[in-house]
Amino acid sequence: MAFSADELRVLRRALAVALHPAPLQDEDVQDALRLAESVDEAVREAGRLRAFLLDDLARYREALPGSLSGYLELLRDALAAGYDPAADDLAALRALRRNPAAAALLARCQILAERSVRARLARVSQATGTPVTTAPRARLLALPGGRAAADEPKPTPPVPAERPVPKPSEVFPPRRRPVPPPPPEERVAG
């Protein structure tokens, strides 16, 4: 937000009065009220612009992959304005990570999202008085059943119980084939 020379003069006087209380003239009070109204209007306008940009970003995200270049540009602008990437943004970027620009933006968004989560956890920790540990997440190096599992000894098969498991042929005896009906010539009318 930028202030004009007159607005800076009013702001300087208001700060001086705040630091060293003194009676204000009516003109100074009116100037301070006008400045406060201007600042409030600028804040409201910034909020409307932010809401519009976020709605636009959502429309572009829903139109992916056809709107890739527009979406990436809008997301960059939103990030520059202080936007914390949402889960939908991260999911969209993951789906588009074959594109180098999307992959680079995904890396940036993951860092920003992690910082945002850590900041929220810190605020919750301060508000509740309970410490929240935010140790960096370790990368998953191996999954069960992967290469590391090949080096481990294989478990021994369980010892069979007293009674062996029956074979399917023992449980389900073979079906008897139905006897075909005799040909019509051999039938006896009776």
Side-chain angles (χ1 to χ4, degrees):
M1 181 180 298
F3 292 106
S4 70
D6 288 335
E7 290 172 333
L8 283 177
R9 179 183 50 78
V10 171
L11 186 59
R12 191 175 321 127
R13 275 188 302 197
L15 288 173
V17 168
L19 292 173
H20 304 288
L24 286 174
Q25 297 177 1
D26 287 341
E27 183 182 318
D28 290 340
V29 171
Q30 293 302 320
D31 289 343
L33 289 174
R34 278 194 297 274
L35 178 61
E37 287 174 13
S38 297
V39 169
D40 288 344
E41 179 58 32
V43 168
R44 283 191 298 273
E45 184 60 30
R48 285 191 294 268
L49 179 61
R50 180 179 173 86
F52 172 78
L53 290 176
L54 293 180
D55 287 345
D56 212 18
L57 183 66
R59 280 191 295 276
Y60 273 79
R61 185 176 47 239
E62 289 170 6
L64 286 173
S67 63
L68 177 65
S69 61
Y71 173 70
L72 294 179
E73 183 180 334
L74 279 174
L75 185 57
R76 275 190 213 102
D77 292 345
L79 293 174
Y83 172 68
D84 285 331
D88 292 340
D89 295 312
L90 294 172
L93 290 171
R94 282 187 194 107
L96 301 167
R97 70 177 137 215
R98 289 188 178 169
N99 180 303
L105 203 52
L106 173 62
R108 180 179 171 198
C109 285
Q110 285 174 327
I111 292 168
L112 292 173
E114 188 171 333
R115 283 183 193 160
S116 174
V117 168
R118 288 180 191 279
R120 278 184 270 158
L121 283 174
R123 284 193 299 270
V124 167
S125 175
Q126 285 179 341
T128 60
T130 22
V132 178
T133 58
T134 58
R137 189 175 70 183
R139 294 286 179 207
L140 190 59
L141 300 177
L143 295 172
R147 285 189 211 160
D151 299 338
E152 296 175 3
K154 302 220 187 258
T156 57
V159 178
E162 297 174 13
R163 212 172 95 170
V165 177
K167 297 178 190 174
S169 62
E170 295 171 348
V171 176
F172 304 105
R175 294 174 121 183
R176 298 185 189 268
R177 293 189 178 173
V179 177
E185 298 94 30
E186 295 178 11
R187 286 188 197 165
V188 179

